[in-house]
Amino acid sequence: MKIKSIILALVAMVTFASCGVMAGGNSEASKSGNASGVALRNLYTTYQSTGKIDMTNISTMMQMASLVNGVQSLKTTTDKSAFYADFLTGLITGSNNLVNKNNSTNVMGALTTMSNLDLSAITNAAANNNNAATSTGVLGTAANIAAASESVSSAVSSLNSIFSLFGN
């Protein structure tokens, strides 16, 4: 009877884990982490090919806005430990393992720093120019971002710190 109970308990645990119930795979934190990971991976790919984070490029701004939106949830949560664990799970998945157990503490630290910056200029500029990516729109966006240059500079510095953890 004991063996049957143990086997049933193990089957239940495996079922829950495979459905993402125990890992928080469907939580808002995991979804925010995943979106942030995808944006981080895309920004890093661009950084690798161009050697810089070009905040006048509309695609870079859109990815940065996505990253900023995702990390804002780090600032607003009250249950930090459970939220961070789920966020990190999503971040690792979304980044396609650029973020991993070796660099996750430093990456989360840099993202938490970014979440405390006023990066509304990036998100507003990207939102305003989402459907109007003309040269005038990009110039207007660049002007908006220049107005918040200290926060943007801090965000870019955080990204550079993160990218240095990825190696190549």
Side-chain angles (χ1 to χ4, degrees):
M1 187 68 169
K2 272 188 172 181
I3 293 175
K4 187 176 181 181
S5 297
I6 292 172
I7 290 173
L8 286 174
L10 287 173
V11 168
M13 285 177 56
V14 168
T15 302
F16 285 162
S18 68
C19 293
V21 173
M22 294 178 73
N26 295 323
S27 72
E28 288 304 313
S30 181
K31 290 176 185 174
S32 291
N34 192 291
S36 296
V38 168
L40 193 59
R41 182 184 69 228
N42 290 338
L43 285 164
Y44 183 63
T45 300
T46 301
Y47 176 78
Q48 281 185 306
S49 67
T50 64
K52 63 183 177 178
I53 302 167
D54 181 6
M55 291 306 295
T56 61
N57 180 301
I58 192 71
S59 176
T60 300
M61 286 186 288
M62 297 303 289
Q63 291 302 321
M64 188 69 158
S66 180
L67 178 62
V68 168
N69 286 334
V71 301
Q72 287 304 307
S73 59
L74 293 172
K75 181 167 68 172
T76 59
T77 187
T78 54
D79 181 11
K80 300 264 189 235
S81 62
F83 187 90
Y84 275 42
D86 284 354
F87 185 92
L88 183 57
T89 298
L91 185 66
I92 290 169
T93 302
S95 72
N96 200 22
N97 293 316
L98 274 173
V99 179
N100 55 52
K101 67 179 183 172
N102 297 324
N103 63 23
S104 62
T105 301
N106 292 329
V107 171
M108 286 296 287
L111 291 177
T112 301
T113 297
M114 284 180 69
S115 75
N116 292 316
L117 298 172
D118 178 10
L119 298 172
S120 57
I122 294 172
T123 55
N124 291 340
N128 290 337
N129 290 291
N130 189 20
N131 294 320
T134 63
S135 60
T136 304
V138 170
L139 291 175
T141 299
N144 291 339
I145 290 175
S149 61
E150 187 175 326
S151 291
V152 172
S153 176
S154 294
V156 169
S157 177
S158 291
L159 276 178
N160 280 323
S161 295
I162 291 170
F163 293 165
S164 72
L165 298 170
F166 296 158
N168 300 330

